[in-house]
């Protein structure tokens, strides 16, 4: 059973396990029936001292899972627990009306969690594999062999947003991404005006010429957004970015601006196939005028594609 994608909550669980690897139980959703609060592959961790991180429901089963986790930790063997539809316990109905199976694993391998964190830091996709019989946990970069005794969770790199631009739109989008714990970096030729309004934790680079910062490594889980009102900066930057693996590339402006943009890119030798990757226009909300609404619109667009 394979989960198609991880989420940020799962990454928090892994980070917590890496920091506190002893006397821990890792709970993983292995199956869902009908409506479910979380997807297959969602994780939660429990510790012997009562600490916990993550959530597998809206709060209706976590206390019961803590009791099962204590039993699993004492016995040292995995245990599957079913709640809602299919559960043998009448009092385990879920408010959403669905069903969920959760497998609890005692003392997940610290080495496997460390490897998972290293792969995550390197922005490399990987699988966490769980043996439902032995309880062994591994982090693998290759596709694991399917087996009824194995649970496989695919962990994809976190979405990261690269913003290149000026003005309040750049500030609003960068701060929104940061507030929602999306990885974000910005570059601007007007950084001295922008930086005082940014969270100090945001990676910010001053641009002196029209190309993305050289230390930016754009991969297939990164979005690049250009927010210029003076569009002369755009063509060289877009030409470079369209040659990258970014899954989302967009630039601020009207449809007329976009048509002019395409002409400039064509003059630079950028193919029609490459320019077709541009989002025209950016954002899910049409004709947004204020910077905060634009930030919400653009980030929603990015998430919808991701």
């Amino acid at each position: 059973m394979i989960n198609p994608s991880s989420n940020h909550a799962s990454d928090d669980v892994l980070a917590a396990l890496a920091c506190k690897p002893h006397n821990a139980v890792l709970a993983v959703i292995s199956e869902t029936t009908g409506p479910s609060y979380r997807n297959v592959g969602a994780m939660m961790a429990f510790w012997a001292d009562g600490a916990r991180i993550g959530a597998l429901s809206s709060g209706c089963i976590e206390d019961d899972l803590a009791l099962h986790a204590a039993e699993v930790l004492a016995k040292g063997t995995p245990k599957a627990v079913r709640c809602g539809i299919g559960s043998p316990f009448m009092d385990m109905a879920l408010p959403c009306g669905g069903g969920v199976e959760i497998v609890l694993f005692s003392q997940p391998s610290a080495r496997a969690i460390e490897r998972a964190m290293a792969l995550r830091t390197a922005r490399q996709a990987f699988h966490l594999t769980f043996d439902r019989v032995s309880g062994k946990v591994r982090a693998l970069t290759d596709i694991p062999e399917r087996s009824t005794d194995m649970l496989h969770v695919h962990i994809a790199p976190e979405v990261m947003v690269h913003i290149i631009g000026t003005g309040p739109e750049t500030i609003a989008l960068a701060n929104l991404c940061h507030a929602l714990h999306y990885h974000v970096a910005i570059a601007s030729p007007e950084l001295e005006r922008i930086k005082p309004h940014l969270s100090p934790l945001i990676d910010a680079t001053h641009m002196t010429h029209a190309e993305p910062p050289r230390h930016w490594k754009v991969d297939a889980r990164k979005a690049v957004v250009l927010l210029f009102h003076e569009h002369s900066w755009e063509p060289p930057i877009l030409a470079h970015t369209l040659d990258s693996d970014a899954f989302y590339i967009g630039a601020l402006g009207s449809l007329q601006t976009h048509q002019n943009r395409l002409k400039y890119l064509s003059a630079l030798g950028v193919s029609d196939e490459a320019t077709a990757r541009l989002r025209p226009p950016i954002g899910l909300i049409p004709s947004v005028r204020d910077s905060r609404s634009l930030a919400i619109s653009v980030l929603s667009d990015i998430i919808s594609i991701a």
Side-chain angles (χ1 to χ4, degrees):
M1 193 174 298
I2 297 181
N3 174 39
S5 172
S6 73
N7 51 38
H8 189 71
S10 294
D11 290 337
D12 284 344
V13 171
L14 295 180
L17 284 170
C19 293
K20 191 177 179 181
H22 303 297
N23 298 316
V25 172
L26 180 58
V28 186
I29 294 181
S30 57
E31 183 181 329
T32 62
T33 304
S36 175
Y37 179 77
R38 299 293 302 280
N39 293 326
V40 170
M43 303 179 198
M44 184 173 183
F46 300 86
W47 284 266
D49 62 5
R52 63 177 73 169
I53 187 170
L56 300 182
S57 76
S58 57
C60 49
I61 63 174
E62 278 75 7
D63 288 344
D64 184 70
L65 288 175
L67 299 177
H68 290 289
E71 176 189 342
V72 167
L73 191 59
K75 293 183 176 180
T77 55
K79 180 180 181 180
V81 177
R82 184 171 289 276
C83 307
I85 294 176
S87 172
F89 306 107
M90 295 295 293
D91 60 345
M92 291 302 291
L94 301 179
C96 62
V100 60
E101 181 189 74
I102 298 161
V103 185
L104 296 98
F105 298 90
S106 176
Q107 300 279 33
S109 164
R111 180 175 295 180
I113 299 302
E114 288 174 4
R115 175 165 167 73
M117 291 300 296
L119 290 169
R120 192 186 81 169
T121 300
R123 296 189 59 79
Q124 185 172 353
F126 63 96
H127 291 85
L128 279 180
T129 70
F130 303 86
D131 190 315
R132 299 171 62 124
V133 178
S134 70
K136 184 176 182 179
V137 179
R138 294 186 299 166
L140 304 175
T141 54
D142 54 344
I143 299 175
E145 183 178 348
R146 292 177 180 268
S147 167
T148 56
D149 292 335
M150 301 296 293
L151 171 63
H152 307 301
V153 179
H154 180 249
I155 308 290
E158 275 286 301
V159 169
M160 181 171 187
V161 183
H162 283 168
I163 306 166
I164 306 174
T166 60
E169 295 83 4
T170 298
I171 296 167
L173 181 57
N175 284 333
L176 177 64
C177 291
H178 179 71
L180 294 176
H181 302 288
Y182 284 98
H183 299 293
V184 61
I186 77 161
S188 175
E190 298 180 2
L191 189 62
E192 70 283 355
R193 299 181 185 178
I194 291 175
K195 195 166 185 178
H197 305 285
L198 295 173
S199 165
L201 299 178
I202 294 176
D203 175 17
T205 302
H206 179 250
M207 298 176 65
T208 57
H209 47 285
E211 69 174 36
R214 293 185 179 182
H215 70 279
W216 282 8
K217 306 298 181 183
V218 180
D219 58 44
R221 292 287 287 173
K222 292 186 179 180
V224 180
V225 182
L226 274 64
L227 298 174
F228 285 103
H229 292 280
E230 173 50 66
H231 298 288
S232 61
W233 279 80
E234 292 179 354
I237 298 172
L238 285 174
H240 188 282
T241 304
L242 288 167
D243 193 38
S244 74
D245 293 328
F247 77 91
Y248 180 104
I249 303 171
L252 181 68
S254 65
L255 289 176
Q256 181 59 54
T257 298
H258 181 69
Q259 293 303 316
N260 293 334
R261 183 180 292 135
L262 295 180
K263 292 177 182 178
Y264 285 119
L265 288 172
S266 178
L268 290 176
V270 180
S271 69
D272 292 343
E273 181 181 5
T275 57
R277 298 177 61 203
L278 281 172
R279 295 285 289 174
I282 56 172
L284 295 184
I285 308 171
S287 303
V288 171
R289 292 289 184 263
D290 72 279
S291 60
R292 292 176 300 174
S293 297
L294 178 70
I296 294 169
S297 176
V298 172
L299 183 55
S300 299
D301 197 19
I302 291 170
I303 295 169
S304 72
I305 301 300

